[in-house]
Amino acid sequence: MARIADVVIIGAGIQGCSAALHCRQRGLSVIVVEKDHVGRHASGVNAGGVRRLNRHPAEIPLSVASMHIWHGIEDLLGDDCGFRISGQVRIAETPADLETLKTRAQHVRDLGFTHEEIIGREELYELVPALAAHCLGALIARDDGFANPAQTTRAFCRRATELGAMFLEGCRAEPPRRHGNVWEVPTTAGTVQAATIVNTAGAWGDAIAAALGEPVPIEPVAPMLMITDRLPAFITPVVGSASRYMSFKQLPNGTALIGGGTLGTADPAGNLTRLDLPGLATLAEAARALFPIMRRTRVVRCWAGIEGQLPDGIPVVGPSSTEPGVFHAFGFSSHGFQLGPVIGRIVAELIADGQSTLPLEPFSIARFAAHKQDTRLKEAS
Amino acid sequence: MTAQAQNFDLAILGAGPAGLAAAAVASELGLSCVLLDEQDQPGGQIYRGLGRMAARLPDRLAMFGTSYQRGLPLLQGLHAARIDYRPGTLVWQIDPPGRIWTHGTGPVEEIEATRLLLCSGAMERPVPVPGWTLPGVLGAGAAQIILKSAGLVPDAPVVFVGNGPLLYLLLSQYQAAGIEPAAVLLTGGIHDWAGGALHLPGFLASGALPEAAKLLAALRRSSARIVRQVSDVSIVGKAAVEAVAFMSQGRREFIPACLVCLHEGVIPHTQLTRLIGCAHHWDKQQHAYRPSLDRWGNTTIEGIQVAGDGGGIAGARAAELTGRIAALEAARALGRLTEDERDRRSAPDRRKLARILRGRSFIDTLYGPRLARRPPADETIVCRCEEVTAEQVRQAVREGCKGPNQVKSFLRCGMGSCQGRFCGLAVAQIIAAERGVPMDEVGYYRIRPPIKPIELGALAEMAEV
Amino acid sequence: MFKVTPQLDPGGPTVRFRFEGRELQAPEGMNLAAALLSNGEIVFRESPVTGAPRGPFCLMGICFECLVVIDGKSGRQACMVDVAENMDIRRQRRPEEEP
């Protein structure tokens, strides 16, 4: 017997769980289908950065809106999600860095946003006394911070469940089929029927998009992270550098979490990632270069999750370009966590109101129409 | 980069009986072979301290029985053969089939080998009982290690708790040193013999009887209070051990103590095989996870073999034999031996191994875990590093966690220094019991590098090369 | 708690070392965890979670209970190292209390 709901959401990472909650709040019945378990992949194992800082301009309005939700997350979810307003800084290590950051700050102001500002050496070293001595200044977002990604994803799921959403874990979705106004999603736990499909399947989102005739050039990537022993509290803001792929934060329990863009290898079919040791060494070197006192600190574990990377570095968010009743929100290219709260709201708006209050044009799946052409050509030849 | 060669036919990890025996055979067959071990002295745990004792106090070796001395030829073989032996070297990451990253006193190094043989041995089975994290509680294996390697015996009241031949061995060795525990609280009892009887013929044929008889004699001789079939054990104390509480024949009792030797057997140490991604399965008889191996020690990952207790508990003598057999197979895989030659040369060892393994069923049945098998009391700390209790794990399961990795992300169990070595089995058991599913369905923690913590600076230095 | 049994006393040179500022002695080359135990010390560290006292359990590098600070380097497993002359050993404390 098929299960029926207004909305079936494929993928229970933060985007899917947030969509489930917001759809319930709009009175839509929801079934979430998840091939592993809630928060199993990127949403559960990322660095937990909650930032507006240094986002692609298209993402800024969404990120700013999402931050409002973050600042009330405990009321919304009944869980503080480990959210800390620690500030986030992006450090200039060289004069060229500083110029880049200043240009950036101006650009953000020109767009009408005030959350990013430049600070000079004096304030930088007041805020981050453990920083190596060579830094010149930084771009700061004072009310950015970090949270616990697994805890946050589960909190969205829990709240959505309390409001009546159904989550089916260990349940893999097959390509959906439409019969008139009804979508059928075959799954390993039976068929789910709904008027609307939401594709929040992360690095696996392209399978669904391709089945609907709108493939996107998503690449599964595996950004690596490492975590250390507990240390005495020595740093408050989350720190990145304009010169390096690295993000550094000290968690409330004293451990230091070091992440960034250095990549391992992803095997999405096997739910596996392999670590790249030279990349880990580069990450360790970046941390040591910025925080010399960390040289003796012990790294306890390294890992990598599976993220869906799109070539322009921004996600696909919005309605399907080929089929009615389908909405996509995937391909967050390793920085989707902070956007999760607002993405869910956007999805619910699109379904319930037919439009969103936020500008989604840059995220349209139609921008990959040329890719669709290429794929067809490849298949034909 | 050092002047040492960094490319080998075979890399052997662990210089206990399996590793030492394998290295000797590999070297005889002309394989280029490196033997890596974290400890400074060879012998693993079973032969720990043997080299030093043989050098300084040779007439004391008899105190430890003939089985201890069986390690001497292995140690001598190490010095005789031209084996590249690297003590004090931690292997902290493996990229199968054969890239290994090590760390000793110098910088991080990378070694390439065509094949790997993992001989990580066994570890103390965790026996979570309330109070087991108090200072003064040691594993019986631990007590044996400091006896062998440092000559230490208790000089305060000690209580033995648990099951397993090692307890009896420790008892007899303490007796030889004039020490008697205050009590020996055995979690096994007479009813175990009924189950064991089925396996008795195999045990008798295995040749283990004389040794076993000696151990049982030690028990009979002991002036300690012996209590069988104890249950509901808890260790009492504020900042250290003060007493052991237990149930026996329906009565709750307390025995004052300053030290507790807690032991219910040993289990394979699977951290490396898990890291590599080898398949493991639950062994009902041994009540432990073990890597899935063929009869040559091949794991499910091409080029990676396991020998010794790390592949399943069978003792030191069996470890030697599986080490030798694995080395022959490695030589075959490297094209240095034909299949026939390998089969022929391994035949005598196989016969000896078969005899020993026939005796295992008896030992496993008779001396299996009792305390460690029962669900721990709610307040028991099961993850020692992060102080996560059994009740917290149960609650996480009730909230929907299906396996250890989910529970870990909820509660931090398995995230501490030992990276799940000491809590993995207990947490999996609790989940299985709470969900009512078999152990194989529950699975185990995902293990990631580094195998042991490594300094950020040491990692960073790799970037400079 | 533990003593060297006379039968197994190698009777060679001893080394002097310090634990928590107190001067101790042990046979040269003795395992550090054993050296501390033989001097009556069973509390090696504080649990970083609650500060509860902890001491060695497995003596073979698996349990990580025996973590001490050796000559200023923290997170060292005492069971994996031999005692040496002039070694300065301290208990590993919860991070707040480290200088």
Side-chain angles (χ1 to χ4, degrees):
Chain A
M1 238 206 59
R3 292 184 173 89
I4 305 173
D6 294 326
V7 181
V8 59
I9 298 174
I10 303 175
I14 190 156
Q15 316 300 344
C17 293
S18 173
L21 173 60
H22 285 98
C23 285
R24 280 306 302 135
Q25 286 181 334
R26 298 298 301 267
L28 298 160
S29 63
V30 172
I31 295 176
V32 184
V33 169
E34 162 57 53
K35 70 180 180 68
D36 296 302
H37 61 79
V38 170
R40 163 71 179 86
H41 293 289
S43 292
V45 300
N46 63 68
V50 177
R51 65 171 176 90
R52 297 159 298 179
L53 185 70
N54 206 48
R55 289 228 170 227
H56 186 290
E59 287 183 355
I60 295 178
L62 276 64
S63 181
V64 166
S66 204
M67 197 56 102
H68 287 305
I69 305 177
W70 274 105
H71 282 226
I73 204 87
E74 191 164 359
D75 287 334
L76 176 66
L77 302 179
D79 187 320
D80 77 355
C81 299
F83 178 47
R84 298 284 186 277
I85 302 169
S86 61
Q88 287 233 7
V89 296
R90 187 170 172 78
I91 293 179
E93 292 188 63
T94 65
D97 284 349
L98 198 51
E99 277 318 300
T100 307
L101 295 178
K102 282 180 174 162
T103 308
R104 159 86 192 179
Q106 184 59 50
H107 185 45
V108 171
R109 275 195 297 276
D110 292 343
L111 290 172
F113 297 99
T114 54
H115 59 274
E116 294 181 23
E117 46 175 304
I118 293 289
I119 58 175
R121 272 186 65 92
E122 199 178 317
E123 188 173 358
L124 175 60
Y125 282 96
E126 252 178 56
L127 280 172
V128 194
L131 195 58
H134 66 278
C135 302
L136 303 175
L139 187 68
I140 187 170
R142 295 181 194 277
D143 297 334
D144 282 1
F146 63 90
N148 181 317
Q151 186 183 344
T152 307
T153 307
R154 279 194 308 266
F156 270 99
C157 169
R158 193 183 303 123
R159 190 82 191 101
T161 306
E162 283 166 9
L163 294 180
M166 173 187 274
F167 284 78
L168 301 173
E169 291 178 307
C171 178
R172 174 186 291 272
E174 307 292 312
R177 297 181 300 251
R178 186 160 61 87
H179 300 284
N181 288 337
V182 176
W183 280 102
E184 265 187 21
V185 183
T187 79
T188 50
T191 306
V192 180
Q193 283 176 0
T196 306
I197 292 178
V198 175
N199 175 13
T200 48
W204 296 261
D206 181 49
I208 297 159
L212 300 171
E214 46 186 357
V216 307
I218 201 165
E219 194 197 336
V221 296
M224 301 189 293
L225 300 97
M226 55 178 70
I227 193 145
T228 70
D229 258 346
R230 287 174 169 86
L231 298 158
F234 77 101
I235 183 170
T236 303
V238 176
V239 174
S241 159
S243 291
R244 305 172 198 259
Y245 283 121
M246 190 208 64
S247 167
F248 186 104
K249 63 178 69 67
Q250 187 174 24
L251 300 180
N253 64 23
T255 57
L257 178 54
I258 307 165
T262 35
L263 301 178
T265 351
D267 169 13
N271 281 355
L272 293 169
T273 57
R274 276 170 76 127
L275 300 174
D276 173 72
L277 248 66
L280 285 175
T282 307
L283 200 52
E285 169 54 25
R288 193 204 58 78
L290 284 178
F291 299 105
I293 60 169
M294 295 278 299
R295 191 168 66 90
R296 288 250 112 100
T297 308
R298 279 170 316 281
V299 173
V300 172
R301 194 169 188 268
C302 306
W303 72 94
I306 301 176
E307 299 261 8
Q309 180 78 31
L310 288 172
D312 50 9
I314 59 174
V316 165
V317 181
S320 161
S321 64
T322 55
E323 295 281 351
V326 179
F327 298 90
H328 298 291
F330 70 96
F332 284 84
S333 305
S334 308
H335 52 262
F337 179 58
Q338 189 266 348
L339 296 174
V342 81
I343 292 292
R345 196 180 77 199
I346 289 169
V347 167
E349 285 173 347
L350 288 171
I351 298 172
D353 306 330
Q355 60 187 16
S356 170
T357 49
L358 287 162
L360 298 181
E361 228 303 296
F363 307 106
S364 165
I365 197 170
R367 73 190 196 268
F368 294 117
H371 175 75
K372 180 160 74 176
Q373 277 295 96
D374 290 341
T375 312
R376 282 226 193 93
L377 284 170
K378 280 207 192 100
E379 283 167 9
S381 67
Chain B
M1 267 323 216
T2 67
Q4 288 174 312
Q6 298 293 92
N7 248 289
F8 299 92
D9 289 328
L10 178 65
I12 301 175
L13 277 57
L20 290 169
V25 169
S27 157
E28 272 166 44
L29 294 171
L31 304 185
S32 66
C33 171
V34 64
L35 176 60
L36 300 159
D37 191 69
E38 199 186 344
Q39 296 195 139
D40 290 325
Q41 302 285 327
Q45 301 312 317
I46 195 80
Y47 300 133
R48 193 148 164 198
L50 178 58
R52 275 212 184 122
M53 196 181 298
R56 298 197 207 167
L57 297 163
D59 45 326
R60 285 292 161 227
L61 289 170
M63 238 181 104
F64 296 91
T66 45
S67 50
Y68 192 47
Q69 292 171 72
R70 225 178 256 136
L72 282 174
L74 287 173
L75 296 183
Q76 281 146 13
L78 180 62
H79 298 301
R82 277 176 330 257
I83 295 166
D84 190 334
Y85 164 57
R86 304 195 190 175
T89 303
L90 169 72
V91 171
W92 58 271
Q93 161 68 326
I94 297 175
D95 211 4
R99 278 167 83 196
I100 301 168
W101 282 266
T102 69
H103 193 209
T105 46
V108 167
E109 291 187 2
E110 190 182 321
I111 290 178
E112 293 232 14
T114 311
R115 296 184 64 83
L116 253 52
L117 175 58
L118 304 176
C119 304
S120 304
M123 54 175 271
E124 199 76 65
R125 176 189 297 279
V127 187
V129 296
W132 75 308
T133 55
L134 284 168
V137 183
L138 269 68
Q144 231 228 353
I145 284 168
I146 53 180
L147 176 63
K148 287 188 294 210
S149 66
L152 294 192
V153 295
D155 67 353
V158 57
V159 170
F160 285 18
V161 179
N163 207 11
L166 186 53
L167 269 185
Y168 300 160
L169 183 63
L170 185 64
L171 184 67
S172 75
Q173 288 164 351
Y174 277 178
Q175 277 175 355
I179 306 286
E180 288 282 358
V184 178
L185 307 178
L186 297 171
T187 53
I190 205 73
H191 60 288
D192 296 337
W193 287 83
L198 208 65
H199 305 283
L200 191 53
F203 177 73
L204 294 173
S206 74
L209 184 58
E211 192 87 19
K214 274 194 221 143
L215 298 185
L216 291 175
L219 193 65
R220 274 197 305 274
R221 262 201 311 269
S222 177
S223 62
R225 182 179 165 208
I226 318 274
V227 188
R228 293 176 203 277
Q229 275 181 266
V230 304
S231 65
D232 296 295
V233 174
S234 62
I235 301 172
V236 180
K238 246 188 125 238
V241 176
E242 291 169 25
V244 180
F246 61 99
M247 288 291 287
S248 171
Q249 305 198 307
R251 273 179 34 240
R252 187 125 191 97
E253 296 198 47
F254 285 79
I255 298 187
C258 295
L259 293 169
V260 174
C261 284
L262 183 62
H263 178 81
E264 281 199 321
V266 294
I267 59 175
H269 182 204
T270 58
Q271 207 76 348
L272 279 175
T273 43
R274 294 268 182 201
L275 173 79
I276 290 170
C278 305
H280 292 71
H281 64 273
W282 179 251
D283 184 317
K284 278 207 179 76
Q285 181 174 297
Q286 296 210 330
H287 204 80
Y289 287 110
R290 57 198 288 180
S292 305
L293 306 174
D294 71 8
R295 57 199 297 266
W296 301 101
N298 289 303
T299 65
T300 51
I301 306 275
E302 178 66 41
I304 315 276
Q305 286 170 272
V306 170
D309 273 359
I313 304 302
R317 189 76 187 102
E320 257 187 76
L321 297 168
T322 53
R324 293 166 55 83
I325 290 169
L328 290 170
E329 161 64 0
R332 187 226 36 99
L334 288 160
R336 312 297 171 83
L337 284 182
T338 65
E339 259 186 45
D340 281 342
E341 283 171 335
R342 174 202 65 181
D343 294 351
R344 201 177 29 85
R345 289 192 196 218
S346 62
D349 286 340
R350 278 230 181 269
R351 280 192 294 273
K352 292 178 200 155
L353 183 62
R355 268 188 90 208
I356 294 173
L357 292 178
R358 271 196 293 273
R360 269 324 294 190
S361 315
F362 182 72
I363 298 171
D364 290 341
T365 309
L366 208 66
Y367 295 118
R370 301 284 179 271
L371 276 181
R373 219 170 162 137
R374 295 177 59 87
D378 277 346
E379 73 272 19
T380 314
I381 290 176
V382 292
C383 168
R384 297 172 61 114
C385 299
E386 296 292 322
E387 299 201 42
V388 179
T389 64
E391 168 55 18
Q392 285 175 289
V393 176
R394 289 176 181 127
Q395 180 60 26
V397 176
R398 287 193 286 266
E399 287 180 24
C401 288
K402 298 229 170 38
N405 293 295
Q406 272 183 281
V407 173
K408 177 164 77 170
S409 112
F410 254 69
L411 299 172
R412 284 193 61 85
C413 54
M415 286 190 183
S417 301
C418 92
Q419 288 291 293
R421 285 168 173 86
F422 247 66
C423 65
L425 183 49
V427 167
Q429 283 176 218
I430 293 170
I431 297 171
E434 195 69 20
R435 286 183 58 200
V437 300
M439 292 294 288
D440 270 323
E441 193 174 319
V442 166
Y444 198 79
Y445 293 134
R446 242 184 315 278
I447 303 300
R448 293 287 216 168
I451 267 291
K452 283 199 173 183
I454 184 166
E455 281 183 359
L456 190 82
L459 253 186
E461 268 164 31
M462 282 174 59
E464 291 159 22
V465 174
Chain C
M1 295 297 160
F2 283 94
K3 64 178 186 204
V4 178
T5 180
Q7 298 136 306
L8 294 172
D9 192 338
T14 59
V15 296
R16 283 179 310 199
F17 63 106
R18 279 182 308 286
F19 180 65
E20 292 283 300
R22 206 159 66 87
E23 189 166 288
L24 302 177
Q25 271 191 54
E28 182 182 48
M30 183 183 264
N31 179 277
L32 177 61
L36 289 169
L37 288 170
S38 70
N39 277 278
E41 297 292 347
I42 58 167
V43 177
F44 285 24
R45 72 184 183 104
E46 293 175 349
S47 161
V49 185
T50 61
R54 293 294 184 91
F57 185 92
C58 79
L59 271 297
M60 53 179 281
I62 301 253
C63 71
F64 285 78
E65 291 284 1
C66 64
L67 299 176
V68 289
V69 183
I70 301 179
D71 296 334
K73 278 177 88 162
S74 65
R76 305 291 309 279
Q77 292 176 293
C79 70
M80 298 298 292
V81 110
D82 289 347
V83 72
E85 180 75 24
N86 253 331
M87 246 185 188
D88 185 275
I89 320 288
R90 297 201 174 260
R91 291 193 174 109
Q92 179 130 318
R93 300 202 134 75
R94 289 169 83 176
E96 297 91 66
E97 302 198 35
E98 275 166 20

